């Protein structure tokens, strides 16, 4: 069913010039970058409603040619022309990836709703955009049910891409078009745990990276033989652990290696087997003589010996794998030592390291950060890594001497590269710049040695590094600590606060307590004439309201609040809490109303001053009634758990859904 089509490969940095001469968009495959490796985006296949997955080796998809949509092809072309100035190497993969997902969803909506997906008629575009916005809002509502919900940014970005397809094709003002509809806001869930490691785990990981690099690089430089031996733990009295680069089953390890990790000679293996098992009881086909291994064990010994001899050959696959591991461990050592970004590893040049001096404190390397508009970012290094980095240049030179001059030119002055061992090619064809795939291979290997989940990704490591500095002893001011870690990591304090700080749950709780202690005097009590709890009327006959009950129709501020608090207004149910006539019935109905309102303030992504004041007032009321009525405490806990699970008061549930439809930002708490 799927057919081949003609393809034109174009590097993203050449797209502007390429497009000037006109082109058939259905043939286009754009080449971007992922780290130092090429990443292919088959744009042309999006012109077809039915297509296969992209082939990993050919980098494009086959299509059903009868499903070609000329109008979508034209819209894609207009969109690319509109976006060409933003299609940089750094941003293209994200933009084009979202374009693909958006068009896939539009194809699906068109099929389900019997709507023609055409961007050349503005009236039809309004229909498309309205249906797509409803589809995305429904998706957000569904996301809120997931306790692991993190962000609506991708959903908001897809809505904008749909609008850009329309505005670029129909030549209408983008902002004017968007303004006619609900604008989905992109935001992150503030309540999600920041991904960081505990300090001790992070220390162990750094130590392992150092150890692996030193041992594996020396193994290569000395042309040592397998297996590789080293202590995984710091305890020098422990028997050394040894790593099998060649595969070794539990039986092989048991019979053919001693405790120090040395492969036994054939005679030693016979003695070792006899110590471990009663040879006469072993399941065997025959024995030649008493001094020989049983047949099955001898067969296994011979096979493993052959593998070991092959691994110890010059430039064997296993030796090249050791070099790759040494490269990755040094790259991760730099990241864990400095808190730098992966882009530093991808772009680091040999001249950046040559002037490092281990005798000078506070050494720095510098790199240009494309995402920051070409800004030069300093990367601070500890003295502990400076000399190993200089030694690493010698190791790098040793490795490059394994290949010919043509292959050396492929690497140029880049510090990091690896051997690509996923294909059976000559060594000359296997060398390439360091990439994200190399990092994944190292992660898999590391977890296989130290246990699943022990690997710390560069992002988590970066956050852990920032968190350690943020909690430095002697830095008392929270904002000052954020600025320090931001400077170290090479980004703004806004980014630092959003992605890298407030790391562990215990620290979050501590910091929030400190935050409320510091700001309540300025925020909460500036609206009051007293520091004492302002009483609330309970359990008298009154009229029901959204917030509880009311015993009078004329709202007035309760005694204890000053003019800084909003004048109570019956059209704004949250102001009832500050009214002299507010009444709370200590039953399930009113408590669910109160706790539903509290949950909504908690869920709002922008917990502003007004919401904190409402939340404080609710907590104050709840505390009063718990102290007054013993039976209410357990009822409050039960209702709170139900509200946390989504069982809101009906009126507040309707208000929440309306606010979401209007684009107000909420998140779901873990």
């Amino acid at each position: 069913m799927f057919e081949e089509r003609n393809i034109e490969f174009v590097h993203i940095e050449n797209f502007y010039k390429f497009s000037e001469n006109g082109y058939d968009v259905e043939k286009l495959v754009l080449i971007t970058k992922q780290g130092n490796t090429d990443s292919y985006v088959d744009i042309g296949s999006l012109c077809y409603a039915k297509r296969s997955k992209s082939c990993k080796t050919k980098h494009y998809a086959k299509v059903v040619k009868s499903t070609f949509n000329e109008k979508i092809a034209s819209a894609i072309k207009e969109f690319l022309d509109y976006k060409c100035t933003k299609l940089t190497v750094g941003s293209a993969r994200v933009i084009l990836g979202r374009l693909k997902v958006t068009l896939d969803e539009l194809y699906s909506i068109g099929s389900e709703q019997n709507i023609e997906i055409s961007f050349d008629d503005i009236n039809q575009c309004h229909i498309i955009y309205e249906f797509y916005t409803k589809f995305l809002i429904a998706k957000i509502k569904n996301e809120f049910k997931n306790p692991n919900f993190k962000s609506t940014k991708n959903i908001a970005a897809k809505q904008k891409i749909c609008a850009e397809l329309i505005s670029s094709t129909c030549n209408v003002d983008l902002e004017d078009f968007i303004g006619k509809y609900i604008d989905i806001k992109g935001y992150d869930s503030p309540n999600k745990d920041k991904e960081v490691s505990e300090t001790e785990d992070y220390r162990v990981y750094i130590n392992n990276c150092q150890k692996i690099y030193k041992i594996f690089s020396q193994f290569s430089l000395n042309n040592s033989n397998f297996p590789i031996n080293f202590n995984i733990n710091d305890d020098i009295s422990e028997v050394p652990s040894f790593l099998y680069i060649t595969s070794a089953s539990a039986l092989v390890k048991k019979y053919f290696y001693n405790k120090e990790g040395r492969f036994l000679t054939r005679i030693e293996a016979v003695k070792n087997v006899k110590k471990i098992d009663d040879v006469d009881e072993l399941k065997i086909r025959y024995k030649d003589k008493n001094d020989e291994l049983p047949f099955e064990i001898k067969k296994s010994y011979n096979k493993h010996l052959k593998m070991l001899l092959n691994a110890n050959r010059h430039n064997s696959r296993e030796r090249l794998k050791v070099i790759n591991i040494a490269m990755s461990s040094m790259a991760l050592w730099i990241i864990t030592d400095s808190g730098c970004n992966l882009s530093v590893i991808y772009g680091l040049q040999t001249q950046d390291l040559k002037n490092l001096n281990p005798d000078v404190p506070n050494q720095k390397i510098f790199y240009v950060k494309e995402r920051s508009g070409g800004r030069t970012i300093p990367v601070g290094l500890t003295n502990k890594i400076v000399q190993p980095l200089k030694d690493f240049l010698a190791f790098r030179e040793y490795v490059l001497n394994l290949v010919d001059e043509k292959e050396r030119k492929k690497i140029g002055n880049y510090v990091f590269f690896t051997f690509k061992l996923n294909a059976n090619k000559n060594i000359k064809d296997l060398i390439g710049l360091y990439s994200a795939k190399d990092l994944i291979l190292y992660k898999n290997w590391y977890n296989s040695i130290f246990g699943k989940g022990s690997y710390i990704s560069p992002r988590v490591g970066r956050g852990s590094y920032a968190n350690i500095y943020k909690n430095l002893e002697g830095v008392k001011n929270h904002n000052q600590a954020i600025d320090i870690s931001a400077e170290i990591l090479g980004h703004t304090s806004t980014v630092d606060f959003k992605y890298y700080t407030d790391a562990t749950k215990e620290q979050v709780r501590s910091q929030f307590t400190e935050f409320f202690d510091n700001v309540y005097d300025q925020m909460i009590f500036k609206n009051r004439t007293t520091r004492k709890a302002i009483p609330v009327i309970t359990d008298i006959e009154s009229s029901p309201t959204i917030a509880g009950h009311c015993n009078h129709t004329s709202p007035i501020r309760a005694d204890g609040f000053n003019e800084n608090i909003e004048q109570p207004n019956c059209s704004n149910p949250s102001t009832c809490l500050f009214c002299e006539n507010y009444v709370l019935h200590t039953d399930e109905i009113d408590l669910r109303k109160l706790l539903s309102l509290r949950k909504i303030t908690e869920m709002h992504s922008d917990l502003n001053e007004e919401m904190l004041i409402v939340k404080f007032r609710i907590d104050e009321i709840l505390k009063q009634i718990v102290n007054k009525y013993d039976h209410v405490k357990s009822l409050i806990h039960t209702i709170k758990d139900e509200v946390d699970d989504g069982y809101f008061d009906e009126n507040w549930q309707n208000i929440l859904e309306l606010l979401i439809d209007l684009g107000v930002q909420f998140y779901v708490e873990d």
Side-chain angles (χ1 to χ4, degrees):
M1 184 170 67
F2 295 108
E3 303 170 76
E4 292 278 357
R5 69 189 207 279
N6 293 329
I7 297 296
E8 288 187 80
F9 291 97
V10 181
H11 283 274
I12 198 70
E13 57 268 33
N14 300 327
F15 174 70
Y16 183 78
K17 188 174 181 181
F18 165 82
S19 64
E20 285 181 337
N21 302 319
Y23 63 99
D24 296 325
V25 70
E26 62 270 23
K27 299 178 181 178
L28 181 64
V29 175
L30 285 171
I31 305 173
T32 67
K33 284 286 185 183
Q34 184 177 16
N36 280 325
T37 56
D38 287 339
S39 178
Y40 297 80
V41 184
D42 187 355
I43 295 296
S45 67
L46 304 180
C47 303
Y48 301 85
K50 293 183 179 180
R51 54 189 180 274
S52 68
K53 290 184 178 180
S54 288
C55 174
K56 290 184 178 180
T57 54
K58 292 182 178 179
H59 308 298
Y60 63 86
K62 293 182 178 181
V63 299
V64 178
K65 290 186 177 179
S66 62
T67 65
F68 176 72
N69 189 316
E70 186 176 349
K71 292 181 178 179
I72 285 185
S74 177
I76 293 172
K77 199 168 183 179
E78 294 291 342
F79 176 84
L80 292 176
D81 288 342
Y82 166 75
K83 279 285 193 182
C84 66
T85 56
K86 295 184 180 179
L87 290 178
T88 61
V89 173
S91 66
R93 286 183 67 254
V94 175
I95 293 173
L96 298 176
R98 285 173 177 160
L99 173 65
K100 179 184 182 304
V101 175
T102 300
L103 286 172
D104 281 341
E105 290 176 343
L106 288 172
Y107 275 124
S108 178
I109 290 171
S111 175
E112 291 173 6
Q113 303 293 334
N114 197 25
I115 299 170
E116 182 187 3
I117 304 301
S118 169
F119 297 103
D120 58 349
D121 180 345
I122 189 61
N123 294 322
Q124 185 67 17
C125 286
H126 280 292
I127 296 172
I128 294 168
Y129 195 73
E130 182 179 346
F131 270 93
Y132 192 50
T133 298
K134 288 179 180 177
F135 168 81
L136 294 176
I137 288 174
K139 204 165 189 176
I140 289 175
K141 286 184 178 180
N142 192 53
E143 286 284 337
F144 282 139
K145 298 175 185 177
N146 182 358
N148 296 319
F149 161 74
K150 292 182 179 180
S151 174
T152 64
K153 283 186 175 179
N154 278 333
I155 295 175
K158 289 189 293 182
Q159 186 196 34
K160 187 173 182 182
I161 282 177
C162 182
E164 288 173 336
L165 281 164
I166 292 167
S167 68
S168 59
T169 307
C170 292
N171 197 26
V172 296
D173 182 81
L174 178 65
E175 297 304 322
D176 182 60
F177 182 86
I178 289 175
K180 292 180 171 63
Y181 297 89
I182 294 170
D183 185 21
I184 297 173
K185 305 295 182 184
Y187 61 94
D188 291 314
S189 169
N191 69 314
K192 67 180 180 181
D193 290 335
K194 309 296 189 297
E195 290 186 276
V196 298
S197 295
E198 297 297 336
T199 302
E200 179 58 22
D201 293 338
Y202 190 64
R203 185 197 68 77
V204 170
Y205 182 71
I206 295 174
N207 186 54
N208 286 345
C209 287
Q210 296 172 18
K211 195 180 301 181
I212 292 168
Y213 164 69
K214 290 176 180 176
I215 293 173
F216 278 47
S217 61
Q218 285 301 310
F219 179 91
S220 296
L221 289 169
N222 297 334
N223 201 30
S224 302
N225 286 328
F226 290 104
I228 300 177
N229 305 306
F230 72 98
N231 284 324
I232 291 179
N233 298 318
D234 291 331
D235 186 359
I236 60 173
S237 64
E238 185 177 311
V239 175
S241 300
F242 48 102
L243 302 181
Y244 300 92
I245 298 301
T246 60
S247 62
S249 65
L251 189 71
V252 166
K253 295 174 187 177
K254 175 180 173 182
Y255 286 150
F256 308 144
Y257 286 90
N258 66 11
K259 291 182 178 180
E260 287 71 39
R262 182 175 62 80
F263 187 72
L264 300 175
T265 65
R266 194 177 299 271
I267 294 174
E268 289 174 325
V270 171
K271 293 178 180 178
N272 191 44
V273 169
K274 288 181 177 180
K275 283 182 188 176
I276 297 171
D277 293 308
D278 183 351
V279 176
D280 292 331
E281 297 298 321
L282 290 176
K283 186 178 180 181
I284 57 175
R285 287 167 62 182
Y286 65 86
K287 289 184 294 183
D288 292 336
K289 52 188 176 181
N290 289 336
D291 291 335
E292 182 59 275
L293 288 169
F295 176 75
E296 289 297 329
I297 297 177
K298 180 171 75 171
K299 183 179 175 183
S300 178
Y301 181 91
N302 291 340
K303 180 180 178 181
H304 190 73
L305 176 61
K306 183 179 179 181
M307 291 174 65
L308 202 58
L309 291 173
N310 285 334
N312 285 325
R313 284 187 296 106
H314 179 65
N315 283 350
S316 69
R317 181 184 177 87
E318 300 297 340
R319 288 195 179 280
L320 298 182
K321 185 176 180 180
V322 168
I323 291 171
N324 287 355
I325 291 171
M327 286 277 180
S328 288
S329 56
M330 173 51 83
L332 287 162
W333 186 3
I334 293 174
I335 290 172
T336 53
D337 182 87
S338 66
C340 72
N341 196 289
L342 254 177
S343 59
V344 176
I345 301 303
Y346 294 144
L348 199 62
Q349 303 280 311
T350 53
Q351 57 266 29
D352 298 329
L353 303 181
K354 285 181 178 176
N355 293 326
L356 292 177
N357 186 347
D359 298 324
V360 177
N362 303 319
Q363 294 283 287
K364 287 183 175 67
I365 53 179
F366 296 87
Y367 80 105
V368 176
K369 190 173 183 179
E370 289 184 11
R371 286 170 57 191
S372 299
R375 188 161 55 98
T376 299
I377 306 296
V379 177
L381 302 170
T382 67
N383 274 25
K384 189 174 183 179
I385 199 176
V386 173
Q387 187 57 52
L389 269 176
K390 293 184 75 66
D391 295 339
F392 178 78
L393 292 178
F395 171 68
R396 175 186 177 278
E397 189 63 23
Y398 161 80
V399 175
L400 284 176
N401 284 332
L402 299 176
V403 299
D404 62 26
E405 190 61 31
K406 182 181 176 182
E407 295 302 305
R408 288 178 67 103
K409 286 182 179 179
K410 285 169 58 176
I411 304 305
N413 291 323
Y414 284 97
V415 170
F416 288 101
F417 57 90
T418 55
F419 293 99
K420 311 302 177 183
L421 303 178
N422 57 337
N424 294 320
K425 297 180 181 179
N426 186 282
I427 182 176
K428 293 180 180 179
D429 301 319
L430 295 176
I431 199 167
L433 293 176
Y434 197 78
S435 70
K437 187 173 183 180
D438 295 310
L439 209 60
I440 293 171
L441 292 172
Y442 180 80
K443 170 189 174 181
N444 295 338
W445 174 84
Y446 187 93
N447 282 337
S448 73
I449 300 300
F450 295 98
K452 188 175 181 181
S454 55
Y455 171 82
I456 298 176
S457 72
R459 183 177 180 83
V460 174
R462 190 166 160 80
S464 305
Y465 180 88
N467 189 57
I468 290 169
Y469 273 88
K470 186 175 64 65
N471 292 288
L472 281 173
E473 188 176 352
V475 182
K476 303 294 184 183
N477 183 281
H478 182 69
N479 289 330
Q480 182 187 354
I482 291 174
D483 289 338
I484 289 173
S485 61
E487 182 179 351
I488 291 164
L489 292 173
H491 49 56
T492 66
S493 56
T494 303
V495 173
D496 186 77
F497 183 76
K498 188 173 183 180
Y499 294 107
Y500 300 114
T501 59
D502 295 343
T504 63
K505 289 182 179 179
E506 292 73 20
Q507 290 163 351
V508 170
R509 293 191 186 100
S510 172
Q511 287 158 4
F512 270 123
T513 301
E514 180 185 344
F515 167 76
F516 281 115
D517 288 345
N518 290 336
V519 301
Y520 269 167
D521 275 350
Q522 304 170 38
M523 184 188 301
I524 305 298
F525 295 110
K526 76 177 182 181
N527 302 290
R528 298 168 174 242
T529 59
T530 177
R531 285 183 170 271
K532 295 181 180 179
I534 298 173
V536 62
I537 304 170
T538 58
D539 296 325
I540 65 170
E541 188 175 343
S542 47
S543 303
T545 67
I546 293 178
H549 280 74
C550 181
N551 69 349
H552 204 284
T553 55
S554 299
I556 185 173
R557 282 194 195 95
D559 188 29
F561 294 108
N562 61 30
E563 65 279 357
N564 289 324
I565 203 76
E566 182 181 347
Q567 176 67 33
N569 184 339
C570 294
S571 64
N572 183 354
S574 65
T575 63
C576 293
L577 306 176
F578 308 95
C579 181
E580 187 178 86
N581 301 312
Y582 174 69
V583 177
L584 179 74
H585 287 186
T586 55
D587 57 18
E588 181 181 345
I589 295 173
D590 272 19
L591 289 174
R592 191 176 298 276
K593 292 176 183 178
L594 202 59
L595 288 164
S596 296
L597 173 57
R598 185 186 189 279
K599 184 65 177 178
I600 289 174
T601 64
E602 238 179 17
M603 288 168 59
H604 198 282
S605 63
D606 180 17
L607 200 58
N608 56 34
E609 183 174 322
E610 289 77 11
M611 290 188 179
L612 285 171
I613 291 169
V614 170
K615 185 171 178 288
F616 183 87
R617 177 60 175 157
I618 293 172
D619 290 344
E620 181 180 55
I621 292 170
L622 293 173
K623 187 175 181 181
Q624 287 184 63
I625 63 172
V626 165
N627 290 337
K628 191 174 181 180
Y629 306 103
D630 291 337
H631 71 281
V632 172
K633 186 174 182 180
S634 60
L635 181 59
I636 289 174
H637 281 300
T638 300
I639 296 172
K640 183 181 182 303
D641 288 342
E642 291 175 353
V643 169
D644 285 344
D645 288 336
Y647 297 103
F648 282 60
D649 166 74
E650 184 178 354
N651 286 317
W652 284 113
Q653 178 68 40
N654 291 334
I655 290 172
L656 175 62
E657 290 179 358
L658 174 63
L659 292 172
I660 291 172
D661 285 345
L662 293 173
V664 177
Q665 303 173 18
F666 290 93
Y667 64 86
V668 173
E669 203 173 46
D670 285 341

